[in-house]
Amino acid sequence: MRELSVSEEVPDEVVALVREARRVVVLTGAGISAESGVPTFREVQTGLWERFSAEELATVEAYENDPALVWTWYRWRQALIAAVEPNAGHRALALWQQRLADVDGGWLAVSTQNVDDLHERAGADVLGHLHGRIAAHRCADCGEPDELPPPEFDGFTAPPEPVDPPFCTHCEEGLMRPDIVWFGEMLPASDFDASSAAIRAADLVLAVGTSGMVQPAASLPLLGLERGVPIIEVNPQETELTDLVDFAIRGPSGEVLPQLLQAAGIAGRR
Ligand code: APR
């Protein structure tokens, strides 16, 4: 593994990997949305939730114990996500995806652990939403999806009181929940399988803004490793994946990804 800093010039080997790659998988985590203002999962919380870590709220047990507390946390995060914009990291991936789509046999697959839609709003197609989508909802009992109006929070000021989740309009008995994957729950099989297949076919894998702590998403890069596919990590900090990757570029993804694309001649120089 070779560690590089965002302030260094991108080395020739990395430039060549990015320039020559035709089939790219980018696995993203909370870090890619951090520069948009979405707090990552291991940050200290405030307001109604200051006594809880995100991991304590993101479980079926937490929801069953206190549906209003968990529901309000997710609705507030949904409002926060709706109020922020994609950043230069999201935009760089969307551009790279478009450029590779014009190359014979080329593609770039984004597989994200993020429940936000910032990749899509930057113009990228997402192959796998491994942990679901915060703006989608389903009944906690019967499982029927339902469209809900946007949350009434502004996304910045934490609500003073928890709000109860609405009842399901189909079975009329269950409570609604976000259509996301909580700790201990199964990942959506189609998203996970599509992401695995893409990594098995890739000639370059990037792990961007993920701590690599949450399985099974964190094991996806290993599928590339089995085939000797080069892996580049983009993250300001060392992670659980660092020892496995070929290059670790230390810096915020909103700076590193545009820099990589520029160095490889995929994005024009400013
Ligand atoms: N650019 C790139 N990476 C960043 C940036 C940035 N600007 N800022 C922070 N990071 C990195 C952190 O160093 C950390 O390694 O983003 C990572 C965020 O880690 P987590 O909060 O653990 O996010 P993630 O890996 O996506 O977590 C996985 O955990 O709680 C669950 O379901 C939730 O999808 C989430 C999963």
Side-chain angles (χ1 to χ4, degrees):
M1 192 277 294
R2 181 156 162 213
E3 197 163 44
L4 311 159
S5 151
V6 66
S7 54
E8 289 170 46
E9 196 165 324
V10 186
D12 291 347
E13 293 147 274
V14 178
V15 173
L17 282 177
V18 173
R19 182 185 289 142
E20 283 155 28
R22 291 290 173 270
R23 302 179 306 279
V24 179
V25 176
V26 186
L27 183 69
T28 66
I32 196 166
S33 297
E35 287 156 89
S36 292
V38 183
T40 62
F41 278 86
R42 280 149 251 286
E43 282 177 33
V44 178
Q45 306 222 85
T46 53
L48 281 178
W49 309 283
E50 66 187 356
R51 288 183 298 113
F52 303 91
S53 69
E55 285 134 309
E56 283 169 323
L57 293 169
T59 67
V60 179
E61 293 74 31
Y63 178 73
E64 286 174 351
N65 281 343
D66 194 341
L69 183 80
V70 173
W71 172 255
T72 308
W73 188 60
Y74 280 102
R75 288 292 264 173
W76 176 67
R77 279 185 77 93
Q78 186 189 343
L80 182 150
I81 287 164
V84 301
E85 297 295 332
N87 64 57
H90 298 106
R91 289 195 295 273
L93 292 183
L95 174 75
W96 194 2
Q97 187 178 62
Q98 283 154 21
R99 292 289 150 86
L100 278 173
D102 292 337
V103 172
D104 205 15
W107 49 261
L108 181 146
V110 176
S111 180
T112 188
Q113 297 165 81
N114 298 344
V115 295
D116 66 48
D117 59 353
L118 295 174
H119 284 302
E120 288 93 337
R121 281 161 53 198
D125 286 331
V126 174
L127 178 73
H129 257 286
L130 299 168
H131 293 166
R133 292 173 175 82
I134 201 166
H137 297 91
R138 65 180 150 92
C139 174
D141 273 4
C142 75
E144 254 327 288
D146 205 356
E147 296 256 333
L148 295 183
E152 283 168 5
F153 309 123
D154 70 8
F156 297 104
T157 328
E161 300 285 335
V163 180
D164 288 326
F167 281 99
C168 170
T169 53
H170 295 274
C171 70
E172 296 182 352
E173 283 184 11
L175 294 174
M176 296 304 288
R177 58 164 280 181
D179 194 9
I180 58 165
V181 178
W182 280 329
F183 286 103
E185 293 189 306
M186 297 285 288
L187 271 59
S190 55
D191 293 63
F192 190 78
D193 292 349
S195 304
S196 309
I199 290 185
R200 289 204 171 92
D203 56 17
L204 178 65
V205 172
L206 274 79
V208 180
T210 177
S211 59
M213 283 163 64
V214 179
Q215 296 295 354
S219 65
L220 281 171
L222 302 180
L223 298 174
L225 204 67
E226 282 168 11
R227 295 178 38 244
V229 178
I231 307 179
I232 302 174
E233 173 173 81
V234 177
N235 199 309
Q237 311 273 337
E238 196 176 319
T239 74
E240 300 288 316
L241 301 173
T242 297
D243 284 344
L244 308 173
V245 306
D246 297 276
F247 296 95
I249 310 184
R250 296 280 166 249
S253 45
E255 286 177 39
V256 174
L257 292 172
Q259 184 190 34
L260 278 181
L261 295 199
Q262 261 188 27
I266 294 166
R269 293 184 183 277
R270 274 176 290 176

Short mmCIF file of all heavy atoms in Angstrom, two decimals, residues 28-32 34-35 40-42 55 113-114 131 181 183 208-214 234-237 239 251-254, ligand 1:
data_model
loop_
_atom_site.label_atom_id
_atom_site.label_comp_id
_atom_site.label_asym_id
_atom_site.label_seq_id
_atom_site.Cartn_x
_atom_site.Cartn_y
_atom_site.Cartn_z
N THR A 28 -18.97 4.04 -2.32
CA THR A 28 -18.92 5.27 -1.52
C THR A 28 -19.60 5.09 -0.17
O THR A 28 -20.47 4.23 0.01
CB THR A 28 -19.58 6.47 -2.25
OG1 THR A 28 -20.98 6.24 -2.40
CG2 THR A 28 -18.96 6.71 -3.61
N GLY A 29 -19.15 5.93 0.78
CA GLY A 29 -19.75 5.95 2.11
C GLY A 29 -20.01 7.39 2.54
O GLY A 29 -19.85 8.33 1.74
N ALA A 30 -20.37 7.53 3.80
CA ALA A 30 -20.82 8.82 4.33
C ALA A 30 -19.83 9.96 4.05
O ALA A 30 -20.24 11.10 3.90
CB ALA A 30 -21.07 8.70 5.82
N GLY A 31 -18.54 9.63 3.96
CA GLY A 31 -17.53 10.67 3.76
C GLY A 31 -17.72 11.47 2.49
O GLY A 31 -17.38 12.66 2.46
N ILE A 32 -18.26 10.86 1.44
CA ILE A 32 -18.39 11.62 0.18
C ILE A 32 -19.46 12.71 0.32
O ILE A 32 -19.43 13.71 -0.38
CB ILE A 32 -18.66 10.72 -1.06
CG1 ILE A 32 -18.39 11.55 -2.33
CG2 ILE A 32 -20.06 10.13 -1.05
CD1 ILE A 32 -18.28 10.76 -3.60
N ALA A 34 -19.96 14.27 3.26
CA ALA A 34 -19.60 15.13 4.40
C ALA A 34 -19.42 16.58 3.96
O ALA A 34 -19.87 17.51 4.64
CB ALA A 34 -18.33 14.61 5.06
N GLU A 35 -18.77 16.78 2.80
CA GLU A 35 -18.54 18.16 2.34
C GLU A 35 -19.82 18.84 1.87
O GLU A 35 -19.83 20.05 1.66
CB GLU A 35 -17.48 18.17 1.22
CG GLU A 35 -16.09 17.92 1.75
CD GLU A 35 -15.18 17.37 0.67
OE1 GLU A 35 -14.56 18.18 -0.02
OE2 GLU A 35 -15.13 16.12 0.51
N THR A 40 -21.46 12.45 9.16
CA THR A 40 -21.16 11.03 9.01
C THR A 40 -21.68 10.28 10.24
O THR A 40 -22.17 10.90 11.19
CB THR A 40 -19.65 10.77 8.82
OG1 THR A 40 -18.98 11.23 9.98
CG2 THR A 40 -19.11 11.48 7.59
N PHE A 41 -21.57 8.97 10.20
CA PHE A 41 -22.26 8.17 11.22
C PHE A 41 -21.60 8.15 12.57
O PHE A 41 -22.23 7.81 13.55
CB PHE A 41 -22.43 6.73 10.71
CG PHE A 41 -23.61 6.67 9.83
CD1 PHE A 41 -23.49 6.98 8.50
CD2 PHE A 41 -24.86 6.41 10.35
CE1 PHE A 41 -24.59 7.01 7.68
CE2 PHE A 41 -25.96 6.44 9.55
CZ PHE A 41 -25.83 6.73 8.21
N ARG A 42 -20.32 8.44 12.59
CA ARG A 42 -19.65 8.34 13.88
C ARG A 42 -19.39 9.71 14.51
O ARG A 42 -18.63 9.83 15.45
CB ARG A 42 -18.40 7.44 13.73
CG ARG A 42 -18.85 5.96 13.75
CD ARG A 42 -18.02 4.99 12.94
NE ARG A 42 -18.70 4.50 11.74
CZ ARG A 42 -19.69 3.62 11.70
NH1 ARG A 42 -20.13 3.08 12.80
NH2 ARG A 42 -20.22 3.24 10.56
N GLU A 55 -25.38 4.64 15.69
CA GLU A 55 -25.51 3.18 15.68
C GLU A 55 -26.60 2.69 16.62
O GLU A 55 -27.22 1.67 16.38
CB GLU A 55 -24.18 2.53 16.08
CG GLU A 55 -23.17 2.59 14.96
CD GLU A 55 -21.82 3.04 15.46
OE1 GLU A 55 -21.77 4.10 16.14
OE2 GLU A 55 -20.84 2.35 15.17
N GLN A 113 -23.20 3.18 0.19
CA GLN A 113 -23.83 2.84 1.47
C GLN A 113 -24.69 4.00 1.95
O GLN A 113 -25.35 3.90 2.97
CB GLN A 113 -22.76 2.57 2.52
CG GLN A 113 -21.90 1.37 2.19
CD GLN A 113 -20.64 1.34 3.05
OE1 GLN A 113 -20.66 0.91 4.18
NE2 GLN A 113 -19.55 1.83 2.50
N ASN A 114 -24.66 5.10 1.21
CA ASN A 114 -25.39 6.29 1.65
C ASN A 114 -26.86 6.18 1.30
O ASN A 114 -27.22 5.71 0.22
CB ASN A 114 -24.81 7.55 1.00
CG ASN A 114 -23.36 7.75 1.41
OD1 ASN A 114 -22.91 7.15 2.40
ND2 ASN A 114 -22.64 8.57 0.68
N HIS A 131 -27.70 0.37 1.38
CA HIS A 131 -28.42 0.56 2.65
C HIS A 131 -29.76 1.25 2.46
O HIS A 131 -30.32 1.80 3.40
CB HIS A 131 -27.54 1.32 3.65
CG HIS A 131 -26.34 0.52 4.08
ND1 HIS A 131 -25.25 1.06 4.73
CD2 HIS A 131 -26.05 -0.80 3.94
CE1 HIS A 131 -24.36 0.10 4.98
NE2 HIS A 131 -24.82 -1.03 4.50
N VAL A 181 -31.67 0.13 5.49
CA VAL A 181 -31.20 -1.10 6.15
C VAL A 181 -30.63 -0.73 7.52
O VAL A 181 -29.67 0.03 7.61
CB VAL A 181 -30.11 -1.77 5.29
CG1 VAL A 181 -29.58 -3.02 5.97
CG2 VAL A 181 -30.66 -2.09 3.90
N PHE A 183 -28.91 -1.85 11.28
CA PHE A 183 -27.93 -2.86 11.72
C PHE A 183 -28.66 -4.17 12.02
O PHE A 183 -29.70 -4.17 12.67
CB PHE A 183 -27.18 -2.37 12.97
CG PHE A 183 -26.18 -1.30 12.65
CD1 PHE A 183 -26.44 0.03 12.93
CD2 PHE A 183 -24.97 -1.61 12.04
CE1 PHE A 183 -25.53 1.02 12.61
CE2 PHE A 183 -24.04 -0.63 11.72
CZ PHE A 183 -24.32 0.69 12.01
N VAL A 208 -14.39 5.22 -1.49
CA VAL A 208 -14.37 6.67 -1.22
C VAL A 208 -15.22 7.00 0.01
O VAL A 208 -16.42 6.72 0.03
CB VAL A 208 -14.93 7.45 -2.44
CG1 VAL A 208 -14.91 8.95 -2.17
CG2 VAL A 208 -14.14 7.14 -3.70
N GLY A 209 -14.60 7.57 1.03
CA GLY A 209 -15.36 8.09 2.18
C GLY A 209 -16.08 7.04 2.98
O GLY A 209 -17.15 7.31 3.52
N THR A 210 -15.50 5.85 3.06
CA THR A 210 -16.11 4.82 3.90
C THR A 210 -15.10 4.32 4.92
O THR A 210 -13.93 4.13 4.60
CB THR A 210 -16.70 3.65 3.08
OG1 THR A 210 -17.21 2.67 3.99
CG2 THR A 210 -15.70 3.02 2.14
N SER A 211 -15.59 4.11 6.15
CA SER A 211 -14.71 3.63 7.22
C SER A 211 -14.42 2.14 7.05
O SER A 211 -13.54 1.61 7.72
CB SER A 211 -15.35 3.90 8.58
OG SER A 211 -16.60 3.23 8.65
N GLY A 212 -15.19 1.47 6.21
CA GLY A 212 -14.97 0.03 5.99
C GLY A 212 -15.29 -0.80 7.22
O GLY A 212 -14.81 -1.92 7.39
N MET A 213 -16.14 -0.24 8.10
CA MET A 213 -16.43 -0.93 9.37
C MET A 213 -17.72 -1.74 9.32
O MET A 213 -17.97 -2.56 10.19
CB MET A 213 -16.56 0.11 10.49
CG MET A 213 -15.21 0.62 10.96
SD MET A 213 -15.37 2.14 11.88
CE MET A 213 -16.31 1.61 13.29
N VAL A 214 -18.58 -1.43 8.35
CA VAL A 214 -19.91 -2.04 8.38
C VAL A 214 -20.02 -3.12 7.30
O VAL A 214 -19.92 -2.84 6.11
CB VAL A 214 -21.01 -0.95 8.22
CG1 VAL A 214 -22.38 -1.57 8.22
CG2 VAL A 214 -20.89 0.05 9.36
N VAL A 234 -9.89 6.70 -1.13
CA VAL A 234 -9.89 8.16 -1.00
C VAL A 234 -10.54 8.48 0.34
O VAL A 234 -11.74 8.23 0.53
CB VAL A 234 -10.67 8.83 -2.16
CG1 VAL A 234 -10.72 10.35 -1.96
CG2 VAL A 234 -10.05 8.49 -3.51
N ASN A 235 -9.75 8.97 1.27
CA ASN A 235 -10.26 9.20 2.62
C ASN A 235 -9.21 10.00 3.40
O ASN A 235 -8.03 9.69 3.30
CB ASN A 235 -10.48 7.83 3.32
CG ASN A 235 -11.40 7.92 4.52
OD1 ASN A 235 -11.19 8.75 5.39
ND2 ASN A 235 -12.39 7.06 4.56
N PRO A 236 -9.62 11.01 4.15
CA PRO A 236 -8.61 11.76 4.93
C PRO A 236 -7.98 10.92 6.04
O PRO A 236 -6.90 11.25 6.53
CB PRO A 236 -9.39 12.94 5.52
CG PRO A 236 -10.80 12.80 5.12
CD PRO A 236 -10.97 11.58 4.27
N GLN A 237 -8.67 9.84 6.45
CA GLN A 237 -8.20 9.03 7.58
C GLN A 237 -7.89 7.60 7.13
O GLN A 237 -8.45 7.12 6.15
CB GLN A 237 -9.32 8.87 8.62
CG GLN A 237 -10.01 10.12 9.03
CD GLN A 237 -9.28 10.80 10.17
OE1 GLN A 237 -8.55 10.15 10.91
NE2 GLN A 237 -9.46 12.10 10.29
N THR A 239 -8.41 3.66 7.36
CA THR A 239 -9.66 2.91 7.59
C THR A 239 -9.34 1.42 7.71
O THR A 239 -8.20 1.00 7.55
CB THR A 239 -10.64 3.08 6.41
OG1 THR A 239 -10.15 2.30 5.30
CG2 THR A 239 -10.80 4.53 5.98
N GLY A 251 -7.19 12.77 1.77
CA GLY A 251 -7.73 14.11 1.55
C GLY A 251 -9.23 14.00 1.37
O GLY A 251 -9.77 12.89 1.24
N PRO A 252 -9.93 15.12 1.40
CA PRO A 252 -11.39 15.09 1.19
C PRO A 252 -11.72 14.72 -0.25
O PRO A 252 -11.05 15.17 -1.19
CB PRO A 252 -11.83 16.52 1.52
CG PRO A 252 -10.61 17.35 1.52
CD PRO A 252 -9.40 16.48 1.63
N SER A 253 -12.76 13.92 -0.43
CA SER A 253 -13.08 13.42 -1.77
C SER A 253 -13.47 14.55 -2.72
O SER A 253 -13.26 14.44 -3.93
CB SER A 253 -14.18 12.36 -1.72
OG SER A 253 -15.22 12.76 -0.87
N GLY A 254 -14.01 15.66 -2.19
CA GLY A 254 -14.37 16.80 -3.04
C GLY A 254 -13.14 17.46 -3.67
O GLY A 254 -13.26 18.18 -4.66
N1 APR B 1 -13.93 12.91 2.08
C1 APR B 1 -13.74 11.57 2.12
N2 APR B 1 -13.91 10.84 3.25
C2 APR B 1 -14.28 11.49 4.36
C3 APR B 1 -14.51 12.89 4.38
C4 APR B 1 -14.32 13.61 3.17
N3 APR B 1 -14.51 14.93 3.10
N4 APR B 1 -14.89 13.23 5.65
C5 APR B 1 -14.90 12.11 6.38
N5 APR B 1 -14.53 11.05 5.62
C6 APR B 1 -14.40 9.64 5.97
C7 APR B 1 -14.07 9.37 7.42
O1 APR B 1 -12.66 9.42 7.61
C8 APR B 1 -14.62 7.95 7.58
O2 APR B 1 -13.64 6.98 7.22
O3 APR B 1 -15.67 9.06 5.79
C9 APR B 1 -15.78 7.90 6.57
C10 APR B 1 -17.15 7.89 7.20
O4 APR B 1 -17.30 6.73 7.94
P1 APR B 1 -18.71 6.25 8.50
O5 APR B 1 -19.39 7.40 9.18
O6 APR B 1 -18.43 5.01 9.25
O7 APR B 1 -19.53 5.99 7.16
P2 APR B 1 -19.74 4.67 6.33
O8 APR B 1 -18.45 3.95 6.10
O9 APR B 1 -20.55 5.07 5.15
O10 APR B 1 -20.63 3.85 7.32
C11 APR B 1 -21.21 2.70 6.84
O11 APR B 1 -22.64 2.59 8.77
O12 APR B 1 -24.14 3.48 10.28
C12 APR B 1 -23.96 2.75 9.14
O13 APR B 1 -25.62 2.43 7.52
C13 APR B 1 -24.70 3.36 7.98
O14 APR B 1 -24.11 3.38 5.65
C14 APR B 1 -23.60 3.58 6.95
C15 APR B 1 -22.60 2.55 7.36
#
